[in-house]
Amino acid sequence: MRSRLPITVLGAGMQGTCVALELARRGCRVRLVEQDGLPINRTSVRNEGKIHLGLVYAHDPEGHTADLMLRGALHFFPLLSRWLGEAVQRLQPSTPFHYLVADDSLLTPDELEQHYHQVESTCRQMLAADRTLNYLGLRPDRLVHRLPDDVLAQHYRTSRLLGGFATEERAMNTLEVAELLRRAVANHPQIEFMPSHAVRAVHRCAHGFRVEGEGEAGVWTWEAEQVVNATWASRQAIDQSLGIEPEPGVLHRLKYRVLAHLPPHLQSRPSVTMVIGRYGDVVIRPDGTVYLSWYPVAMKGWSHDLQPPAAWSDAATGKVRAGVADEIARDIINAIDAWYPGIAEVKPYQVDAGVICAYGTTDVDDAASGLHNRTRVGVRSFDGYHSVSTGKYTSAPRFAVEAADAVMAGVSS
């Protein structure tokens, strides 16, 4: 029996948008509620877009985080294809990542190589078990190989490096992904998009749930038989309004990025992640632009509150004062140019920030930090209310299907 009311999905970031598209594909009417004026406008579009194979999570001793990321990565393109059709072929990934091992990395190159080979083995097993899976349209047999010292020296200043690896890992241009998904939402007759509606609370009522919030027209209230909470920074506060207590150790961080135009001689160079500690990423995109972030100077906010400070909202929606943006861009570019020659030649055109939601009390340079384990994620259901913790961009499509499965179980019961 179909629900008489539309399924209400809270939050139109990458996660909520994918949930809405999957539910609509299954024949459900969906009301997609978003605080901003368009879908996918905050963290989902302001991160590096890496489709994680699990390589960076080498300090989770059980390996569960790497497996989770790998599974999400192998579902990422197949599921986008489900919702976007042939349009997904327009998406072109970054150059492949080199993983550089810093001289103060938490793990040595030999320890990292052992982890990488385990990920590679698991990837082969997953691909062999399911022919529908792929990594951004490819089914690679090898994921990683160690770089000789002379090759490292061709690309980088190696004085602070212990070694490096060439990988098959890539990143997507998050804005290109967002624009295709926005179009899919706008064109789908089963999805009613409700922009500029900030959700404040959800309560149980006689017919299921009462969703409350405010927007440009003032306070609003809707009823829903089922609710999917796919908000990002406010997810746990909304859960708490329904009586679901937050998990301990929540941490919000505000990390800035720089987008810049590359000089021609850098446009085919490798993308880079430095490991394992407080470092950063360089993402070389096929359109001649680059994403840059260097954690020691890019991380500008740290909060254990249930929701991040309201003062972070401007940076998270692309509103950064010119003087502040110039200073952040200069600091990030100079820090990366110290080991990636030529980066100082880039021409910045955008500086903004994303909110990272995770669990931990200390930073990533602490071997015991909870930030090395990203397994406290996924879908939790409470009698028609479904809370989705995405964790990483990579996992959003796969968790969207899990959330839709949970909703459909409630519809048919």
Side-chain angles (χ1 to χ4, degrees), residues 99-349:
Y99 269 51
L100 304 183
V101 187
D103 58 5
D104 56 351
S105 170
L106 293 178
L107 293 176
T108 68
D110 288 345
E111 291 169 326
L112 287 164
E113 188 168 36
Q114 183 178 0
H115 167 72
Y116 297 158
H117 286 167
Q118 180 57 56
V119 171
E120 193 172 75
S121 174
T122 304
C123 182
R124 289 195 201 102
Q125 293 170 23
M126 289 183 181
L127 289 174
D130 188 341
R131 298 297 300 177
T132 69
L133 301 182
N134 64 68
Y135 181 66
L136 305 182
L138 304 173
R139 293 174 59 84
D141 184 59
R142 293 197 63 190
L143 299 183
V144 181
H145 68 266
R146 201 154 181 169
L147 290 169
D149 290 344
D150 61 330
V151 175
L152 281 172
Q154 290 174 17
H155 295 290
Y156 315 109
R157 297 185 179 98
T158 58
S159 58
R160 66 165 303 183
L161 302 180
L162 298 178
F165 299 84
T167 82
E168 289 298 318
E169 198 167 68
R170 290 166 168 83
M172 303 306 299
N173 184 323
T174 54
L175 181 57
E176 291 179 355
V177 176
E179 287 174 341
L180 290 181
L181 290 171
R182 289 168 183 167
R183 191 172 302 128
V185 166
N187 292 337
H188 206 298
Q190 293 290 100
I191 300 175
E192 177 188 21
F193 178 55
M194 305 299 297
S196 304
H197 283 70
V199 179
R200 299 304 179 210
V202 178
H203 304 285
R204 290 196 182 272
C205 64
H207 301 293
F209 301 93
R210 185 176 71 254
V211 184
E212 302 172 350
E214 58 189 28
E216 295 174 349
V219 175
W220 53 265
T221 301
W222 292 318
E223 288 193 353
E225 292 179 19
Q226 292 200 67
V227 173
V228 179
N229 181 2
T231 57
W232 182 241
S234 58
R235 181 183 61 86
Q236 294 199 77
I238 295 172
D239 286 354
Q240 191 177 53
S241 71
L242 195 64
I244 301 167
E245 287 305 309
E247 295 188 63
V250 62
L251 172 63
H252 294 111
R253 290 169 290 163
L254 184 71
K255 188 179 79 170
Y256 279 78
R257 67 168 185 174
V258 176
L259 298 181
H261 296 287
L262 284 163
H265 69 94
L266 291 181
Q267 292 181 10
S268 61
R269 295 283 294 278
S271 299
V272 175
T273 290
M274 193 176 287
V275 292
I276 291 179
R278 299 178 75 248
Y279 312 120
D281 302 281
V282 176
V283 182
I284 307 290
R285 296 169 167 176
D287 63 357
T289 66
V290 62
Y291 164 104
L292 302 168
S293 190
W294 187 248
Y295 192 88
V297 295
M299 205 279 286
K300 299 291 187 181
W302 180 284
S303 173
H304 289 287
D305 292 341
L306 205 56
Q307 296 188 83
W312 294 6
S313 183
D314 280 351
T317 53
K319 305 181 188 73
V320 181
R321 294 196 312 274
V324 174
D326 292 344
E327 180 180 354
I328 290 171
R330 184 190 66 239
D331 290 348
I332 290 175
I333 289 168
N334 288 343
I336 294 175
D337 186 73
W339 54 269
Y340 200 137
I343 291 297
E345 302 173 44
V346 306
K347 303 298 183 185
Y349 66 88

Side-chain angles (χ1 to χ4, degrees), residues 43-105:
T43 297
S44 295
V45 80
R46 303 181 197 280
N47 64 81
E48 84 282 5
K50 182 189 282 189
I51 309 305
H52 283 276
L53 287 165
L55 303 176
V56 80
Y57 291 101
H59 217 286
D60 175 357
E62 302 298 323
H64 296 321
T65 303
D67 287 354
L68 183 71
M69 295 298 158
L70 178 59
R71 195 171 297 279
L74 297 182
H75 281 85
F76 190 88
F77 232 51
L79 290 176
L80 284 190
S81 299
R82 176 187 293 187
W83 304 317
L84 300 177
E86 293 183 358
V88 77
Q89 300 304 322
R90 302 177 202 165
L91 300 173
Q92 298 298 313
S94 70
T95 59
F97 276 83
H98 282 179
Y99 269 51
L100 304 183
V101 187
D103 58 5
D104 56 351
S105 170

